[in-house]
């Protein structure tokens, strides 16, 4: 089994990110670089983390016209990342352009295409806010609608909340990779994540990958925390 743990490097400096990556690389499947770290540290942080041998999930949630998203995806493939995110609400043409750019640039670069992951409805949005921007105010229905559209546009993966996994598994093809943040272990339930599952519960519900930030990088001993989570998965 692949190691499904993706550690979110939500830290402000290159030094801290690299220190964590070097310490954790043997125990995790990949590292997630988001907007904060990428905006401060740039593509060099991706190269430095790839140099540890670890896989990289570049979580920049692209949302733009199809041509621009395709070019951004192509740049990410040339940086040699293994996962990237786009907003499914950018529409079907944008999603198809992103997947096509991933496949074609990977072929040209002699690499495997990264997994282009669709983000459906941000978990920070509630029904009232969806209505404000003119969308279906039923969050679950909107998530399912965008997930189905993403699947029809040949995306091979989606980001979803732990509590969406079971419902999405019922409507999506089995091969669809589900990546899930909002993971908490028994001892660390007291931050801003409200709807959480344990690592094992999320995998049993049908997740393929777990995005875990504070329970690992915020632990007294991040390496021991990652090892304990891996052991809890029985792998
Ligand atoms: O520290 P924590 O484990 O909550 O980190 C989770 C990571 O997943 C963060 O990088 C956060 O931005 C991201 N994320 C999330 N919930 C979402 C989408 C992304 O927590 N719905």
């Amino acid at each position: 089994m692949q190691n499904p743990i993706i550690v979110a490097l939500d830290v402000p400096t290159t030094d801290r990110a690299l220190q964590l990556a070097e310490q954790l690389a043997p125990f995790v499947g990949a590292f997630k670089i988001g907007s904060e770290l990428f905006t401060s540290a740039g593509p060099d942080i991706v190269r430095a983390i790839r140099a540890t041998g670890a896989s990289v999930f570049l979580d920049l949630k692209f949302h733009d016209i199809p041509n621009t998203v395709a070019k951004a995806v192509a740049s990410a493939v040339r940086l040699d990342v293994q996962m990237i995110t786009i907003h499914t609400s950018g529409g079907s043409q944008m999603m198809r352009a992103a997947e096509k750019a991933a496949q074609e640039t990977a072929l040209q670069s002699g690499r495997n295409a990264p997994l282009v992951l669709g983000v459906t409805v941000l978990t920070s949005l509630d029904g009232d806010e969806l209505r404000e921007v003119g969308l279906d105010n039923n969050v679950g229905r909107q998530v399912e609608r965008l997930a189905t559209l993403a699947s029809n546009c040949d995306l091979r993966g989606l980001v979803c909340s732990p509590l969406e996994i079971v419902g999405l598994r019922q409507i999506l093809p089995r091969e669809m990779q589900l990546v899930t943040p909002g993971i908490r272990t028994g001892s660390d339930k007291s931050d801003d994540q409200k709807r959480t599952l344990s690592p094992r519960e999320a995998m049993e519900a049908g997740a393929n990958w777990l995005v875990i930030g504070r329970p690992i990088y915020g632990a007294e001993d991040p390496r021991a925390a990652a090892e304990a989570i891996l052991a809890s998965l029985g792998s």
Side-chain angles (χ1 to χ4, degrees):
M1 186 183 107
Q2 71 190 3
N3 183 330
I5 301 172
I6 302 174
V7 177
L9 292 175
D10 295 331
V11 294
T13 65
T14 302
D15 284 354
R16 181 67 185 133
L18 275 177
Q19 193 186 27
L20 280 167
E22 276 159 18
Q23 191 182 13
L24 295 172
F27 308 102
V28 308
F31 292 99
K32 182 168 89 74
I33 298 175
S35 309
E36 180 190 8
L37 184 59
F38 191 78
T39 304
S40 66
D44 281 348
I45 187 66
V46 176
R47 296 187 188 100
I49 290 177
R50 288 291 292 130
T52 69
S55 296
V56 168
F57 171 5
L58 187 62
D59 185 19
L60 300 180
K61 299 187 178 65
F62 296 137
H63 188 172
D64 210 316
I65 58 172
N67 182 54
T68 302
V69 168
K71 287 181 177 167
V73 167
S75 293
V77 175
R78 286 191 286 267
L79 257 183
D80 196 18
V81 304
Q82 284 62 52
M83 293 179 174
I84 35 188
T85 38
I86 62 172
H87 272 285
T88 55
S89 51
S92 54
Q93 287 191 42
M94 191 200 90
M95 285 191 270
R96 287 187 197 282
E99 181 63 30
K100 185 163 176 261
Q103 298 287 348
E104 289 182 357
T105 315
L107 199 63
Q108 287 157 13
S109 318
R111 302 196 162 111
N112 292 325
L115 197 53
V116 179
L117 298 164
V119 173
T120 57
V121 179
L122 294 171
T123 46
S124 54
L125 296 173
D126 60 16
D128 290 341
E129 278 194 282
L130 288 185
R131 196 176 42 233
E132 272 179 345
V133 295
L135 296 174
D136 187 340
N137 69 349
N138 182 315
V139 177
R141 207 160 51 207
Q142 183 68 6
V143 168
E144 291 191 2
R145 180 185 187 123
L146 288 170
T148 305
L149 184 64
S151 174
N152 292 341
C153 291
D154 300 329
L155 288 201
R156 292 163 293 133
L158 290 167
V159 179
C160 67
S161 92
L163 302 189
E164 290 163 1
I165 303 170
V166 170
L168 288 178
R169 277 279 167 240
Q170 285 167 10
I171 61 166
L172 293 171
R174 283 181 49 174
E175 318 77 72
M176 183 66 86
Q177 302 265 310
L178 295 182
V179 178
T180 310
I183 301 299
R184 288 296 175 268
T185 55
S187 53
D188 53 19
K189 294 263 185 204
S190 57
D191 53 39
D192 62 351
Q193 294 281 16
K194 293 193 175 63
R195 296 178 297 148
T196 66
L197 288 182
S198 75
R200 194 184 179 112
E201 286 167 340
M203 294 302 288
E204 284 171 357
N208 301 93
W209 299 91
L210 310 172
V211 174
I212 309 178
R214 287 162 288 182
I216 292 180
Y217 72 71
E220 213 164 292
D221 182 346
R223 183 175 144 151
E227 277 186 282
I229 290 173
L230 193 58
S232 78
L233 298 175
S235 55

